[in-house]
Amino acid sequence: MTTLLWILAMLFTLGALAYLRVSLLTSSIIAAVVMAIGSATEVLSPLVWIIFLVIALPLNISAFRKNYLTKPLLKLYRGIMPEMSSTEREAIEAGTTWWDADLFAGKPDWNKLHNYPTARLSAEEQAFLDGPVEEVCKMVNQHQVSHQLGDLPEDVWQYLKDHGFFAMIIKKKYGGLEYSAYAQSRVLQKLAGVSSELASTVGVPNSLGPGELLQHYGTPAQQDHYLPRLAKGLEVPCFALTSPEAGSDAGAIPDYGIVCRGEWEGEEVLGMRLTWNKRYITLAPNATVLGLAFKLQDPDHLMGDKEEIGITCALIPTNIRGVEAGRRHFPLNCMFQNGPTKGKDVFVPLSFIIGGPEMAGQGWRMLVECLSVGRGITLPSNSAGGVKTAAVATGAYSRIRRQFKLPIGKLEGIEEPMARIGGNAYLMDAVTTLTTTGIDLGEKPSVISAIVKFHLTDRMQKCVIDAMDIHGGKGVCLGPNNYLGRGYQAAPIAITVEGANILTRSMIIYGQGAIRCHPYVLAEMESAFDTDSQRGLNEFDSALFGHIGFTTSNLVRSFWLGLTSSRFSNSPYSDKTKRYYQHMNRFSANLALLSDLAMATLGGGLKRKERVSARLGDLLSQLYLASATLKRYQDDGRQTADLPLVQWAVEDCLYKLQDSLDDLLDNFPMGLGHVLRLIIFPFGRPLKRPSDILDHKVAKIMQTPCASRDRLGKGQFWTACENNAVGVQEQTFKDILACEPLYDKVCKAAGKRLPFMWLDKIAAEGKAMGVLSEDEVALLERAEIGRMKSINVDDFDSDELRAFTIPSTDHERAA
């Protein structure tokens, strides 16, 4: 019995040491103390001490461990793991890790998350949102843009240029606005709630493009020439990366340049003869300066010894002879300027390379570094803004529109999709805020930017579908009063661009995350191929045994947190959010453990097992989304009225995470999933999807004027003006609620229950009975006009729906 108790005590000690991640040396000393106690009580035989010393001494004697353990393992590792290619290395090194690394490490520090600064707008940034952004929103009529003009009106284009909308990222010394990433996100969210064309037109020049590339890599001469002109709107930029043969696989672009001599402005200079064929290029049809990515070749060694110099970025004025642009693509009836550009044997000097000739071949690094920032702002912000506006507008519509003598928002079938829209609106705003906070702290979060690009565009598309289902015919029939239809049509565009979502989920998120976020993997890879063999051995030894301890810790943590349902793990709060933090501790340990086991069983082949990679990426992604939601709740002052939104968002994330984890275990390599399931889910799946009661609470917030609803739609365009159908409807929503007690008063006076329609007739009846004042009559009459405007759909003369011109076919043009 005593021996059994000692064995249990030893196992508990070793488990606690692993759980707490105590160092190898300290753990060995503590284990020796426990063994000494066992010897003193005559429980242990000398054989146990011999076994312990045979294991502990070699591990703790550095020289012995390195020569007899680490060196053979290093040789084996080099044979299994291929050395990173230059493009893989540049992609890995391009960004930084931030909160994502904490989530990946199996032991998140929640105080660290909550100590990140709360995002705030400066007075200047707030004034821009309240002034120029508000004004340009009033100027845009979505139906006019998408159906009549096929473009933003000229006065809108000029307004954007005159007020610096294309210069948010440009430094003030060049005449730009130099706004924070958070401010850029708020601007794009507000614009996206009005028009996807407007948001895209503003977003692209402030994302990956000539402006950002010039600021980071341009020569002083390039910066001094172009940046002030870009800031003033004298130049319209675009960036041409995607080719017919290279979409998401940007490194495979076929466009090329040949280093050669040629004539430029009457002089013979060393330059490049460029040939390209690009497509899907936003702003290309009306751009004045083209940022071009191509592969530079030097067959005559005019620049040096290398013939294949590599991907290069250059600035090409579009008025140069041989540059073809102006034609447009037609992306799902979304009329932002997007089109192809071509050039054949276009000669330009080497000085046109961004950063000058010394930056030739550095284009891939430039692109991935800048993309890690831009991809984290533009599309996620556009998606969040669209859903925020849709959430509040859907809430208003559901309270105004009646079926079966009830506002449709009170029907349980409607509450379910409404809750998805409202919960996601809260989450998506939270995620953009946390992500831009990291960017403003100087991070280049490549993994996080991939997470938010995929998940926010994906959630946006699903929310727009839900909103369309709720609106029914109101959403289907296009026209000036339809605020959903064009966004519904355009949703797949966001899914497709800047790394298609299928690729982003299956390859990019975890492909980068496993190496960048893991505390030891990148160090192992770099040290294994270090040209200094002794330094490589030392660093590999440190990384390897740190990795072993890390995996052991996460194995113990996963088992203990699964066994106890994580009830004893740390949480920064003891309120209704406590269990969320505890569950996330558990899933973080699961992610770290399963990552190590997947890499151990598959090695370099993991990147080809895209479904395994995707599911591991899902775990990291949902942890990040849930973290951002809890961070927002903290930053908003832990408003208990917002709890239903917080709970819905976090529970949805954790349930989706659990689904991916379950699927991963079912398909884990080498059949290990069945064993791992006993460790991770010893009592089955612990979580359920958001409940019907929670759905009801979220739907109620969306249909009730309150501070929580205001926070849900904060920063969007709600002005009740002619061009803003959602603003007009929002005013009608408030009028309808104010009319309900007046309606009850008239019904009581009439002695019967009247239908809640034809409010102008109810007003007349109430006036005749003397139970309504003139102001009350006017309110009912105004509410009826707004009610009919909200529930009606637009109709047109047949001629209005015809295209103004019928374009000729290619065959007709050739004839």
mmCIF file of all heavy atoms in Angstrom, residues 691-712:
data_model
loop_
_atom_site.group_PDB
_atom_site.id
_atom_site.type_symbol
_atom_site.label_atom_id
_atom_site.label_comp_id
_atom_site.label_asym_id
_atom_site.label_seq_id
_atom_site.Cartn_x
_atom_site.Cartn_y
_atom_site.Cartn_z
ATOM 1 N N SER A 691 -27.841 28.560 -27.303
ATOM 2 C CA SER A 691 -29.186 28.041 -27.051
ATOM 3 C C SER A 691 -30.257 28.918 -27.686
ATOM 4 O O SER A 691 -30.012 30.064 -28.092
ATOM 5 C CB SER A 691 -29.436 27.980 -25.548
ATOM 6 O OG SER A 691 -29.494 29.303 -25.009
ATOM 7 N N ASP A 692 -31.474 28.393 -27.738
ATOM 8 C CA ASP A 692 -32.612 29.158 -28.236
ATOM 9 C C ASP A 692 -32.863 30.384 -27.369
ATOM 10 O O ASP A 692 -33.251 31.451 -27.873
ATOM 11 C CB ASP A 692 -33.873 28.288 -28.258
ATOM 12 C CG ASP A 692 -33.781 27.136 -29.252
ATOM 13 O OD1 ASP A 692 -32.801 27.098 -30.026
ATOM 14 O OD2 ASP A 692 -34.683 26.283 -29.255
ATOM 15 N N ILE A 693 -32.666 30.243 -26.067
ATOM 16 C CA ILE A 693 -32.866 31.375 -25.150
ATOM 17 C C ILE A 693 -31.886 32.491 -25.474
ATOM 18 O O ILE A 693 -32.245 33.678 -25.493
ATOM 19 C CB ILE A 693 -32.709 30.916 -23.685
ATOM 20 C CG1 ILE A 693 -33.833 29.944 -23.316
ATOM 21 C CG2 ILE A 693 -32.681 32.108 -22.738
ATOM 22 C CD1 ILE A 693 -33.677 29.310 -21.948
ATOM 23 N N LEU A 694 -30.633 32.108 -25.762
ATOM 24 C CA LEU A 694 -29.619 33.107 -26.109
ATOM 25 C C LEU A 694 -29.954 33.759 -27.450
ATOM 26 O O LEU A 694 -29.804 34.982 -27.615
ATOM 27 C CB LEU A 694 -28.249 32.445 -26.158
ATOM 28 C CG LEU A 694 -27.016 33.352 -26.086
ATOM 29 C CD1 LEU A 694 -27.088 34.314 -24.919
ATOM 30 C CD2 LEU A 694 -25.753 32.491 -25.991
ATOM 31 N N ASP A 695 -30.395 32.965 -28.420
ATOM 32 C CA ASP A 695 -30.841 33.527 -29.702
ATOM 33 C C ASP A 695 -31.910 34.587 -29.474
ATOM 34 O O ASP A 695 -31.893 35.663 -30.085
ATOM 35 C CB ASP A 695 -31.414 32.422 -30.601
ATOM 36 C CG ASP A 695 -30.337 31.557 -31.253
ATOM 37 O OD1 ASP A 695 -29.153 31.871 -31.102
ATOM 38 O OD2 ASP A 695 -30.702 30.569 -31.906
ATOM 39 N N HIS A 696 -32.858 34.278 -28.607
ATOM 40 C CA HIS A 696 -33.960 35.211 -28.326
ATOM 41 C C HIS A 696 -33.426 36.522 -27.741
ATOM 42 O O HIS A 696 -33.879 37.614 -28.135
ATOM 43 C CB HIS A 696 -34.944 34.565 -27.351
ATOM 44 C CG HIS A 696 -35.980 35.505 -26.819
ATOM 45 N ND1 HIS A 696 -37.046 35.943 -27.583
ATOM 46 C CD2 HIS A 696 -36.093 36.126 -25.604
ATOM 47 C CE1 HIS A 696 -37.773 36.777 -26.858
ATOM 48 N NE2 HIS A 696 -37.219 36.904 -25.667
ATOM 49 N N LYS A 697 -32.482 36.432 -26.843
ATOM 50 C CA LYS A 697 -31.936 37.637 -26.216
ATOM 51 C C LYS A 697 -31.202 38.519 -27.230
ATOM 52 O O LYS A 697 -31.326 39.750 -27.199
ATOM 53 C CB LYS A 697 -30.985 37.246 -25.081
ATOM 54 C CG LYS A 697 -31.677 36.632 -23.870
ATOM 55 C CD LYS A 697 -30.655 36.242 -22.806
ATOM 56 C CE LYS A 697 -31.338 35.637 -21.584
ATOM 57 N NZ LYS A 697 -30.341 35.228 -20.542
ATOM 58 N N VAL A 698 -30.445 37.893 -28.111
ATOM 59 C CA VAL A 698 -29.724 38.662 -29.128
ATOM 60 C C VAL A 698 -30.714 39.318 -30.082
ATOM 61 O O VAL A 698 -30.596 40.507 -30.423
ATOM 62 C CB VAL A 698 -28.741 37.766 -29.898
ATOM 63 C CG1 VAL A 698 -28.123 38.520 -31.085
ATOM 64 C CG2 VAL A 698 -27.630 37.266 -28.978
ATOM 65 N N ALA A 699 -31.713 38.557 -30.526
ATOM 66 C CA ALA A 699 -32.716 39.103 -31.443
ATOM 67 C C ALA A 699 -33.478 40.260 -30.791
ATOM 68 O O ALA A 699 -33.813 41.250 -31.467
ATOM 69 C CB ALA A 699 -33.679 38.007 -31.882
ATOM 70 N N LYS A 700 -33.729 40.164 -29.508
ATOM 71 C CA LYS A 700 -34.440 41.232 -28.796
ATOM 72 C C LYS A 700 -33.610 42.508 -28.763
ATOM 73 O O LYS A 700 -34.141 43.612 -28.945
ATOM 74 C CB LYS A 700 -34.778 40.774 -27.381
ATOM 75 C CG LYS A 700 -35.641 41.763 -26.609
ATOM 76 C CD LYS A 700 -36.032 41.214 -25.247
ATOM 77 C CE LYS A 700 -36.906 42.221 -24.488
ATOM 78 N NZ LYS A 700 -37.288 41.700 -23.142
ATOM 79 N N ILE A 701 -32.304 42.380 -28.530
ATOM 80 C CA ILE A 701 -31.426 43.558 -28.548
ATOM 81 C C ILE A 701 -31.500 44.247 -29.901
ATOM 82 O O ILE A 701 -31.568 45.481 -29.999
ATOM 83 C CB ILE A 701 -29.977 43.145 -28.225
ATOM 84 C CG1 ILE A 701 -29.838 42.797 -26.749
ATOM 85 C CG2 ILE A 701 -28.987 44.257 -28.600
ATOM 86 C CD1 ILE A 701 -28.480 42.222 -26.371
ATOM 87 N N MET A 702 -31.495 43.462 -30.969
ATOM 88 C CA MET A 702 -31.494 44.026 -32.321
ATOM 89 C C MET A 702 -32.784 44.772 -32.635
ATOM 90 O O MET A 702 -32.809 45.638 -33.521
ATOM 91 C CB MET A 702 -31.278 42.910 -33.348
ATOM 92 C CG MET A 702 -29.911 42.253 -33.250
ATOM 93 S SD MET A 702 -29.799 40.731 -34.211
ATOM 94 C CE MET A 702 -29.916 41.343 -35.881
ATOM 95 N N GLN A 703 -33.874 44.474 -31.909
ATOM 96 C CA GLN A 703 -35.172 45.080 -32.203
ATOM 97 C C GLN A 703 -35.611 46.095 -31.144
ATOM 98 O O GLN A 703 -36.738 46.572 -31.187
ATOM 99 C CB GLN A 703 -36.239 43.986 -32.281
ATOM 100 C CG GLN A 703 -36.004 42.963 -33.365
ATOM 101 C CD GLN A 703 -37.008 41.833 -33.287
ATOM 102 O OE1 GLN A 703 -38.155 41.964 -33.725
ATOM 103 N NE2 GLN A 703 -36.598 40.720 -32.714
ATOM 104 N N THR A 704 -34.706 46.420 -30.231
ATOM 105 C CA THR A 704 -35.056 47.306 -29.126
ATOM 106 C C THR A 704 -34.077 48.466 -29.047
ATOM 107 O O THR A 704 -32.859 48.236 -28.938
ATOM 108 C CB THR A 704 -35.030 46.535 -27.789
ATOM 109 O OG1 THR A 704 -35.837 45.359 -27.891
ATOM 110 C CG2 THR A 704 -35.518 47.419 -26.648
ATOM 111 N N PRO A 705 -34.547 49.711 -29.108
ATOM 112 C CA PRO A 705 -33.625 50.841 -28.935
ATOM 113 C C PRO A 705 -32.961 50.772 -27.556
ATOM 114 O O PRO A 705 -33.632 50.787 -26.531
ATOM 115 C CB PRO A 705 -34.543 52.065 -29.041
ATOM 116 C CG PRO A 705 -35.748 51.594 -29.774
ATOM 117 C CD PRO A 705 -35.932 50.161 -29.375
ATOM 118 N N CYS A 706 -31.658 50.622 -27.539
ATOM 119 C CA CYS A 706 -30.934 50.486 -26.278
ATOM 120 C C CYS A 706 -29.455 50.736 -26.529
ATOM 121 O O CYS A 706 -28.997 50.785 -27.678
ATOM 122 C CB CYS A 706 -31.132 49.093 -25.668
ATOM 123 S SG CYS A 706 -30.599 47.729 -26.735
ATOM 124 N N ALA A 707 -28.694 50.871 -25.454
ATOM 125 C CA ALA A 707 -27.261 51.147 -25.578
ATOM 126 C C ALA A 707 -26.530 49.990 -26.252
ATOM 127 O O ALA A 707 -25.581 50.211 -27.020
ATOM 128 C CB ALA A 707 -26.665 51.419 -24.197
ATOM 129 N N SER A 708 -26.958 48.759 -26.006
ATOM 130 C CA SER A 708 -26.301 47.600 -26.622
ATOM 131 C C SER A 708 -26.486 47.620 -28.130
ATOM 132 O O SER A 708 -25.553 47.333 -28.892
ATOM 133 C CB SER A 708 -26.863 46.293 -26.047
ATOM 134 O OG SER A 708 -26.517 46.159 -24.686
ATOM 135 N N ARG A 709 -27.688 47.961 -28.563
ATOM 136 C CA ARG A 709 -27.944 48.051 -30.005
ATOM 137 C C ARG A 709 -27.124 49.180 -30.627
ATOM 138 O O ARG A 709 -26.600 49.050 -31.735
ATOM 139 C CB ARG A 709 -29.433 48.274 -30.246
ATOM 140 C CG ARG A 709 -29.853 48.231 -31.715
ATOM 141 C CD ARG A 709 -31.386 48.324 -31.815
ATOM 142 N NE ARG A 709 -31.832 48.179 -33.198
ATOM 143 C CZ ARG A 709 -31.965 49.191 -34.053
ATOM 144 N NH1 ARG A 709 -31.682 50.423 -33.667
ATOM 145 N NH2 ARG A 709 -32.389 48.965 -35.289
ATOM 146 N N ASP A 710 -27.010 50.285 -29.904
ATOM 147 C CA ASP A 710 -26.195 51.400 -30.397
ATOM 148 C C ASP A 710 -24.736 50.985 -30.543
ATOM 149 O O ASP A 710 -24.074 51.349 -31.513
ATOM 150 C CB ASP A 710 -26.293 52.593 -29.442
ATOM 151 C CG ASP A 710 -27.668 53.241 -29.468
ATOM 152 O OD1 ASP A 710 -28.428 52.995 -30.428
ATOM 153 O OD2 ASP A 710 -27.990 53.981 -28.512
ATOM 154 N N ARG A 711 -24.237 50.228 -29.567
ATOM 155 C CA ARG A 711 -22.851 49.768 -29.647
ATOM 156 C C ARG A 711 -22.673 48.778 -30.800
ATOM 157 O O ARG A 711 -21.609 48.725 -31.421
ATOM 158 C CB ARG A 711 -22.415 49.139 -28.321
ATOM 159 C CG ARG A 711 -22.071 50.154 -27.238
ATOM 160 C CD ARG A 711 -21.460 49.493 -26.010
ATOM 161 N NE ARG A 711 -22.445 48.770 -25.220
ATOM 162 C CZ ARG A 711 -23.173 49.290 -24.235
ATOM 163 N NH1 ARG A 711 -23.048 50.575 -23.939
ATOM 164 N NH2 ARG A 711 -24.035 48.557 -23.555
ATOM 165 N N LEU A 712 -23.709 48.008 -31.073
ATOM 166 C CA LEU A 712 -23.635 47.036 -32.171
ATOM 167 C C LEU A 712 -23.437 47.739 -33.510
ATOM 168 O O LEU A 712 -22.686 47.256 -34.364
ATOM 169 C CB LEU A 712 -24.913 46.197 -32.190
ATOM 170 C CG LEU A 712 -24.895 44.911 -33.016
ATOM 171 C CD1 LEU A 712 -23.890 43.923 -32.451
ATOM 172 C CD2 LEU A 712 -26.290 44.284 -33.040
#
